[in-house]
Amino acid sequence: MAGRIKVGLVGIGNCFSGLIQGIEYYRKNPDQEVTGIIHDKLAGYGIHDIDFVCGFDVGENKVGKSLHEAIYAYPNMVDWIPKDELPKTDAKIYESPILDGVGLWVENRIKPVENPKSVEELTKEIKQVIKDTGVEIIVSYLPVGSDKVTEYWAQICLDTNTAFVNCIPSFIASDEKWAKKFAEKNIPCIGDDIKGQVGATIVHRTLAKLCNDRGTKIEKTYQINVGGNTDFLNMKEQDRLVSKKISKTESVQSQLDERLDDDQIYVGPSDFIPFLGNTKLMFMRIEGRQWANIPYNMEVRLEVDDKANSAGIVIDAIRLAKIALDRGVGGPIKPASAYLMKHPIEQTSDVKAKAECEKFVAGD
């Protein structure tokens, strides 16, 4: 029987701000159809059945604050619900280890805690918070390139029997070593790297598959993205982009019968434009040949609010992780990962992934 879902959040940035404010938007507007999710109910769980019971961050202006305060703290810029209209919560933000979680370009904006506690001390504190608050699922929205911190939180989940939803391209659910650890402990994990509802990569892979399935020969393609939030500023640091480019590129390559040579495909972030804020612009081009070797090409420009685009997908990931917990299913939840994530442990078409997701929810 469906009940409450207790969730802990890692990385209290714009994504979680949009997630929480979006839920409140629908609470304030009960007559509005809830858009951007698979179903209003998944195995009985609705969007208002989620309780965010704690959060973890490294910013000095967020640690120690209540969750309803922290989601508005700089450099967050989501303001769909006025701050004074968001219900107060007892959920607090606790300190997380920094490790590799703060890039060079964003350090002056994030302003980490000046005298951070030791990893050992924080680990003990974090495990106690998870126990005290009853967290069932940890959702991570750390900055791109936070590989060591992502592994830290994956291990925390293993140590505390907590499900893990990994929204960034640091590979856990799609890594055989980590997938095996979660399977052996029968703990669900969903990942890696969230697909937007109608995001750059889902549009690109859908059109690439269309061209492929209709018998054309794709010869080259690119997808470039620009935005103005800290996510894009962080990604100016090229060393942090390795897994992101792999995730986005493989998501597109997986839809083709014949892989493109590496120098004939580019999929990845391009630049940071401050005044865009949370607006993300995607520019995509596909070039190929049709019957009688006649060339064709297409170009797409997509403009979305980057946080609205991901929030509905995270809502589904949380509920699917809870369903897995309820049913005692552990390891990578393959249907959920294939449908909701760019880099699942098993790539498949989106049509097939959605059908498998529906079967999983139905208990087949």
Side-chain angles (χ1 to χ4, degrees), residues 316-332:
D316 288 337
I318 289 169
R319 294 186 294 168
L320 289 164
K322 174 60 173 171
I323 293 167
L325 283 171
D326 289 346
R327 296 177 182 166
V329 178

Side-chain angles (χ1 to χ4, degrees), residues 154-221:
Q155 190 60 53
I156 287 286
C157 289
L158 291 169
D159 292 344
T160 58
N161 296 310
T162 306
F164 190 43
V165 176
N166 179 36
C167 300
I168 73 161
S170 293
F171 304 144
I172 299 294
S174 59
D175 177 85
E176 290 186 6
K177 179 188 72 175
W178 283 102
K180 182 179 179 182
K181 290 180 179 182
F182 277 88
E184 287 176 345
K185 293 207 68 175
N186 202 38
I187 299 171
C189 60
I190 296 176
D192 301 300
D193 197 11
I194 202 88
K195 286 179 191 168
Q197 181 190 357
V198 184
T201 300
I202 187 67
V203 169
H204 195 171
R205 68 186 254 133
T206 299
L207 289 174
K209 181 165 177 56
L210 172 70
C211 294
N212 182 84
D213 289 351
R214 301 293 288 180
T216 75
K217 168 75 171 177
I218 296 178
E219 295 186 319
K220 60 185 71 170
T221 185

Side-chain angles (χ1 to χ4, degrees), residues 217-222 249-250 252-253 256-267:
K217 168 75 171 177
I218 296 178
E219 295 186 319
K220 60 185 71 170
T221 185
Y222 68 72
T249 302
E250 287 305 311
V252 176
Q253 289 273 34
L256 307 179
D257 291 336
E258 184 178 335
R259 287 180 64 90
L260 294 173
D261 292 340
D262 290 345
D263 61 354
Q264 299 302 304
I265 181 170
Y266 176 87
V267 185

Side-chain angles (χ1 to χ4, degrees), residues 4-10 12 15-24 27 46-55 66-68 71 86-94 133-139 141 311 314-315 318-319:
R4 308 301 298 176
I5 309 173
K6 293 189 174 183
V7 177
L9 307 175
V10 178
I12 313 302
C15 288
F16 284 138
S17 186
L19 176 63
I20 293 166
Q21 290 184 52
I23 291 175
E24 182 58 23
R27 198 187 309 276
I47 67 170
H48 300 297
D49 294 325
I50 300 171
D51 294 328
F52 301 108
V53 296
C54 63
S66 296
L67 179 60
H68 65 271
I71 62 171
L86 196 76
K88 292 180 171 54
T89 173
D90 293 331
K92 300 290 184 184
I93 307 303
Y94 299 88
T133 57
V135 172
E136 300 171 279
I137 302 164
I138 288 285
V139 182
Y141 241 127
V314 179
I315 285 283
I318 289 169
R319 294 186 294 168

